[in-house]
Amino acid sequence: MAGRKAHKIATLGSHSALQILKGAKDEGFLTICVVNTMRLSLYRRFKFIDKIIEIPSFSSFGSIEDQLIRENAIIIPHGSFVAYLGIEVNKKMNVAYFGNKAVLDWESDRKLQRKWMQIANISVPKRFKKGEKIDRPVIVKSYGAAGGQGYFFAKNQKELTFRLKSFKPKKFIVQEYVIGVPLYIHYFYSSITNTLEILSIDKRYETNVDSLGRIPSQNQQGLGIEPSFVVVGNSPLVLRESLLGEAFNMGEKVVATSKNIIKGGIWGPFCLETIITPEQKFSIIEISCRIVAGTNLFINGSPYSSLYWNKEVSTGRRIAMEIKEAIKKGKLNKILS
Ligand code: ATP
């Protein structure tokens, strides 16, 4: 590896850290895991982690940043970065950071996300304005909820008005409930080679909505069961091949649009959270502009990643491959921010 001191790959011990660091090691990088004391024993178990930097809690991240800079580390952000450190800490990080920080503002704001998809001409569920009468089933989502916690479903206006009376969150959205299969497509866009790959796909397992069919509807009557959307796990999925072309089209539109609306555009991993209707149309409920937890199913690669690479390539490893390629071509600055 080029440079005065070889670059190392570092991340926070959480979310998809094992996948990221294993992938980096497989690509020949030295790896660093920043862990809080509580998780130390977990991350010590893995030989592909060369160095562990312990901090009392993730909020002390700032105190070890200089050490990471001295190590010539490149930070790979994942889902816990914004959740535990907050957007501002991410934006102000001085250590080399893989991905475009300018995307963070768009990702964290549901309205901006929607604007991005609409400019890209990608279908999104109808959103009802505050107080607007609904004419179809809806899902009510509070802001800042994670993993579907605290969402509720209302089949008509009467039910919505009733439920909203006892709904505590002040900021929420009322969105058309799209009936279909939720499917999460894991993309990787290389700004070095200008290519888009679909690396894997997953489906979430949510309680209780995914298990309601286990009790026949006549037995549910009178029980007052409400659907909830709390994520408990992920399962792998391959898409019907005739739908794959549209999945690529959507990813390409997202990337192309990002170049027009966000300085530098998006690069690296991102995920479109979709629902496919019986008409086989995708509706996009969310975009995550980073590695998502569903990719952890594919530490050994996936049916899709093996179509591009003759080795086991996870999203974590793909990131390391991109960094290696950028170093080789003298374009590292192009993929850091
Ligand atoms: P995360 O940040 O972990 O992705 P989240 O809290 O932002 O989760 P969403 O991804 O918006 O939540 O939604 C959680 C779940 O709620 C989805 O997986 C899906 O099952 C259901 N859901 C969300 N929006 C809709 C919709 N418009 N129609 C039908 N189901 C929906």
Side-chain angles (χ1 to χ4, degrees):
M1 248 155 269
R4 47 199 165 89
K5 186 175 176 185
H7 288 281
K8 295 176 185 165
I9 300 293
T11 196
L12 287 186
S14 173
H15 193 267
S16 45
L18 294 173
Q19 181 196 157
I20 291 168
L21 298 176
K22 166 79 167 57
K25 191 73 183 176
D26 287 342
E27 288 302 309
F29 288 97
L30 286 175
T31 60
I32 301 173
C33 193
V34 179
V35 302
N36 65 20
T37 308
M38 224 172 65
R39 300 196 184 172
L40 188 61
S41 65
L42 169 66
Y43 289 95
R44 269 195 184 139
R45 291 169 193 272
F46 303 99
K47 292 204 173 67
F48 54 83
I49 301 176
D50 295 301
K51 184 171 198 159
I52 289 188
I53 301 179
E54 184 188 350
I55 48 179
S57 73
F58 287 137
S59 57
S60 342
F61 182 83
S63 66
I64 53 101
E65 217 190 325
D66 282 345
Q67 187 183 348
L68 289 174
I69 294 170
R70 282 196 303 277
E71 295 272 10
N72 210 14
I74 297 172
I75 278 279
I76 314 297
H78 52 55
S80 298
F81 274 68
V82 167
Y84 293 155
L85 304 178
I87 286 202
E88 289 314 312
V89 172
N90 275 265
K91 279 197 201 160
K92 287 189 192 126
M93 249 180 228
N94 292 316
V95 56
Y97 184 100
F98 177 76
N100 186 358
K101 287 178 188 164
V103 169
L104 289 170
D105 288 327
W106 285 76
E107 187 197 18
S108 62
D109 184 325
R110 287 193 196 278
K111 282 191 188 140
L112 287 178
Q113 276 202 14
R114 193 176 172 82
K115 191 168 156 193
W116 183 354
M117 296 307 119
Q118 283 171 331
I119 297 173
N121 202 14
I122 288 174
S123 171
V124 290
K126 181 175 164 58
R127 183 175 168 177
F128 292 89
K129 295 202 186 77
K130 215 169 183 179
E132 191 184 350
K133 291 271 175 277
I134 61 163
D135 57 358
R136 62 193 83 184
V138 292
I139 181 166
V140 177
K141 305 180 177 187
S142 51
Y143 277 60
Q149 203 116 28
Y151 289 8
F152 76 82
F153 168 84
K155 66 173 178 295
N156 54 30
Q157 183 64 49
K158 195 171 155 218
E159 204 172 284
L160 178 67
T161 312
F162 177 74
R163 295 289 308 262
L164 281 178
K165 277 186 194 145
S166 55
F167 192 58
K168 295 217 173 64
K170 289 258 174 311
K171 283 188 87 181
F172 59 85
I173 56 164
V174 178
Q175 194 177 75
E176 166 187 14
Y177 186 86
V178 183
I179 297 174
V181 173
L183 195 103
Y184 293 67
I185 309 171
H186 315 146
Y187 297 90
F188 188 93
Y189 173 64
S190 166
S191 54
I192 303 290
T193 57
N194 193 19
T195 47
L196 181 76
E197 292 155 28
I198 288 178
L199 288 181
S200 45
I201 300 175
D202 81 291
K203 164 177 157 37
R204 284 178 170 186
Y205 202 52
E206 297 170 349
T207 182
N208 58 11
V209 72
D210 287 322
S211 63
L212 292 180
R214 297 179 62 181
I215 305 173
S217 65
Q218 71 264 28
N219 298 84
Q220 286 186 33
Q221 271 164 29
L223 289 180
I225 299 174
E226 293 293 340
S228 60
F229 304 89
V230 180
V231 180
V232 287
N234 306 72
S235 359
L237 197 138
V238 285
L239 193 56
R240 188 171 169 168
E241 196 153 308
S242 59
L243 290 170
L244 209 48
E246 181 54 18
F248 275 106
N249 284 344
M250 290 190 305
E252 268 157 11
K253 287 197 240 176
V254 164
V255 171
T257 304
S258 76
K259 291 180 183 173
N260 296 329
I261 60 174
I262 306 168
K263 195 165 181 281
I266 190 172
W267 67 81
F270 67 96
C271 171
L272 289 183
E273 309 189 355
T274 77
I275 298 179
I276 309 184
T277 66
E279 296 74 35
Q280 299 186 50
K281 297 278 178 248
F282 290 91
S283 193
I284 306 300
I285 54 174
E286 195 169 285
I287 177 169
S288 295
C289 304
R290 46 164 175 88
I291 183 168
V292 291
T295 61
N296 283 336
L297 284 163
F298 307 101
I299 293 183
N300 290 335
S302 85
Y304 295 112
S305 71
S306 66
L307 298 175
Y308 317 102
W309 309 103
N310 286 322
K311 56 184 180 184
E312 295 176 342
V313 176
S314 64
T315 294
R317 186 166 186 180
R318 184 66 188 84
I319 294 170
M321 288 160 66
E322 188 76 351
I323 293 172
K324 212 161 123 178
E325 186 67 9
I327 293 171
K328 203 168 97 191
K329 292 190 165 154
K331 291 185 173 174
L332 191 55
N333 283 342
K334 201 172 149 60
I335 58 166
L336 303 178
S337 68

